[in-house]
Amino acid sequence: MNDKMLSLGQSRSVIREIFEYGKTRKAEIGADKVFDFSLGNPSVPAPECVKSELISLASELDPVMLHGYTSAQGDASVRNSISEYIEKNHNNSGLPISSPDLIYITSGAAAALTCSLTALLNKDDEVIALAPFFPEYRVFTERTGARLITVKCKEGSFRPDYEKLDAALNEKTVAIIINSPNNPTGVVYPEEDIKQLSELLSRKSAKFGHPIYIIADEPYRELVYGGAEVPYIPNFYDNTIVCYSLSKSLSLPGERIGYVSVSPRAENAKNVYLAICGAGRSLGFVCATSLFQFLMARCLGKTSDISAYERNRDILYSALKEYGFAVTRPDGAFYLFVKVPNGDAKAFCEKAKEFELLLVPSDDFGYEGYVRISYCVSENQIKNSLPAFKALADSYK
Ligand code: PLP
């Protein structure tokens, strides 16, 4: 037996732990009495185009093709559509930033990340994650024998701290994971950050004599509010691998569909891509679900009604500020990152349970003293939970 795998299977993530507690509690006292803010499971339904395109795919396409294996890297026509979409909508640099031959279709962003990390990493290599970060980065990295090095973002703005990053980069650094819009802070890194990051990584790559890749983890790309812009990193930095999915933008997390796009301007782009294909093969992915590959090509650029998330953000952010909590106003994703009054996030989450509020402590995100609130819930849940948040705040006064 592999002890590492056994211990991963035995230990549930903190988020799942709270979610499971929520299910039990809802059965005990009624679902409407429990305010579950634990999971990032989109609450807005997939848009109408998903249903209509699924119906037309089922009636138009040959069922053998529709349900058969595609090429391991994904159907060629779908990869063409993705690349065309990227060039048309994200390219402002004049040079190609994608190629159908460098796109690998995956079972969501999680598989995209696992394949990319497995492709790049050898034992004892290092990958940097900017904290707070999605906890699964550690799991995906450590399975390769490499180490996840965490660099804390600046408190308050939660944007990268370049001095700390400069100090963490060394000859063992192979990649850095950039997640914007960010889970758990909701922060969107502005162009200024991407430029500064690119300059630093280019300088360090030259110094160490090997490329340091950016793995751009972008499942929340379209979830931005108030006109916030998410810079497309391959326009700024050549050695970029984009990991994308439809889980959040189209509310399809259970369908497991996404892709990796290696920039054609990346050093060794073809070999990086082949290693990603090899990683997918060794992990037994075979190919991503065919039906949703074809659906993806037809729904590129479409989103669920994200205005519902924006309304939730506005209601909850204003209320929490009014109750005295320190919160960074997020421009994207669907999370609020809230500072805990006395610094003990786990104790705060236990206290919150007394008010039937289910929140996630920040410790596993690599940043102590905060809680994550997933506001991808119904507006009613947000409104009904406000007295509980107020009571929780008062209990700390
Ligand atoms: N990356 C981040 C930052 C996430 O928050 C998530 C899911 O919550 C993922 C990746 C995985 O997404 P997917 O469902 O597309 O695998």
Side-chain angles (χ1 to χ4, degrees):
M1 181 112 45
N2 182 307
D3 288 342
K4 245 164 124 182
M5 295 302 133
L6 177 61
S7 87
L8 273 179
Q10 282 170 332
S11 63
R12 266 204 295 251
S13 78
V14 185
I15 302 172
R16 289 270 156 193
E17 202 73 59
I18 297 166
F19 177 66
E20 292 303 324
Y21 167 83
K23 282 207 291 207
T24 313
R25 192 69 185 136
K26 283 174 193 170
E28 282 166 8
I29 63 167
D32 59 328
K33 309 252 173 2
V34 180
F35 308 117
D36 185 353
F37 293 98
S38 62
L39 272 195
N41 211 0
S43 54
V44 173
E48 189 51 36
C49 67
V50 168
K51 187 173 169 192
S52 58
E53 292 299 351
L54 282 175
I55 292 170
S56 59
L57 280 168
S59 47
E60 283 165 28
L61 286 199
D62 166 19
V64 174
M65 178 184 176
L66 191 58
H67 303 298
Y69 294 123
T70 64
S71 305
Q73 66 271 40
D75 178 79
S77 72
V78 176
R79 288 184 286 114
N80 271 325
S81 302
I82 295 169
S83 180
E84 269 171 27
Y85 178 83
I86 293 173
E87 293 301 322
K88 187 156 169 248
N89 294 281
H90 299 321
N91 193 337
N92 53 26
S93 64
L95 295 165
I97 50 169
S98 76
S99 155
D101 296 333
L102 297 174
I103 287 172
Y104 178 77
I105 303 179
T106 60
S107 303
L113 289 162
T114 315
C115 290
S116 302
L117 290 163
T118 303
L120 293 179
L121 297 173
N122 287 297
K123 191 170 174 300
D124 299 330
D125 284 345
E126 292 184 3
V127 176
I128 292 179
L130 300 179
F133 60 89
F134 179 50
E136 294 304 276
Y137 293 161
R138 185 176 296 290
V139 180
F140 301 160
T141 299
E142 289 180 352
R143 61 172 297 285
T144 69
R147 296 202 312 139
L148 190 79
I149 306 297
T150 64
V151 175
K152 284 194 172 171
C153 283
K154 290 181 214 146
E155 187 155 18
S157 73
F158 293 106
R159 286 169 53 189
D161 182 326
Y162 293 99
E163 263 176 47
K164 287 200 179 116
L165 190 54
D166 191 314
L169 288 158
N170 67 72
E171 35 301 286
K172 290 186 184 165
T173 313
V174 169
I176 173 168
I177 306 173
I178 299 295
N179 170 224
S180 168
N182 185 267
N183 173 9
T185 62
V187 168
V188 177
Y189 300 149
E191 192 171 305
E192 179 194 334
D193 273 328
I194 303 303
K195 284 186 171 155
Q196 200 169 343
L197 186 67
S198 304
E199 189 278 318
L200 174 62
L201 294 179
S202 302
R203 197 155 39 80
K204 293 287 183 175
S205 299
K207 178 173 172 193
F208 302 133
H210 64 80
I212 299 172
Y213 293 94
I214 290 184
I215 299 179
D217 179 24
E218 304 207 328
Y220 300 95
R221 162 161 284 279
E222 288 82 10
L223 272 65
V224 284
Y225 316 116
E229 300 243 344
V230 186
Y232 198 69
I233 299 177
N235 285 313
F236 301 89
Y237 189 69
D238 289 347
N239 290 316
T240 301
I241 299 168
V242 176
C243 295
Y244 180 76
S245 90
L246 301 188
S247 296
K248 316 288 175 172
S249 60
L250 276 179
S251 304
L252 296 174
E255 304 302 351
R256 315 303 309 132
I257 191 76
Y259 62 77
V260 181
S261 174
V262 177
S263 170
R265 284 143 66 177
E267 212 170 309
N268 299 325
K270 190 72 204 169
N271 281 353
V272 169
Y273 179 71
L274 289 174
I276 289 169
C277 297
R281 183 177 167 194
S282 83
L283 289 159
F285 284 126
V286 184
C287 68
T289 156
S290 313
L291 176 59
F292 280 86
Q293 289 191 40
F294 296 117
L295 179 95
M296 175 157 63
R298 293 184 176 206
C299 292
L300 287 165
K302 305 267 175 32
T303 65
S304 309
D305 175 14
I306 61 164
S307 64
Y309 301 136
E310 187 165 8
R311 272 198 306 281
N312 285 355
R313 176 200 65 167
D314 291 344
I315 299 169
L316 200 53
Y317 173 78
S318 310
L320 294 181
K321 287 292 272 189
E322 190 191 315
Y323 306 154
F325 288 111
V327 199
T328 303
R329 190 167 191 269
D331 287 325
F334 38 46
Y335 306 104
L336 281 175
F337 205 54
V338 182
K339 192 164 182 163
V340 166
N342 68 0
D344 186 341
K346 284 189 177 143
F348 184 82
C349 290
E350 283 307 308
K351 186 84 193 156
K353 277 186 190 166
E354 292 174 21
F355 302 95
E356 308 302 346
L357 287 167
L358 306 187
L359 317 176
V360 178
S362 62
D363 306 62
D364 278 13
F365 295 91
Y367 214 103
E368 301 76 30
Y370 284 76
V371 288
R372 186 189 79 170
I373 301 178
S374 292
Y375 58 81
C376 47
V377 298
S378 70
E379 195 174 322
N380 264 348
Q381 177 175 325
I382 300 272
K383 287 183 172 157
N384 294 339
S385 69
L386 296 183
F389 277 112
K390 169 99 175 57
L392 177 62
D394 289 346
S395 76
Y396 274 82
K397 280 181 184 150

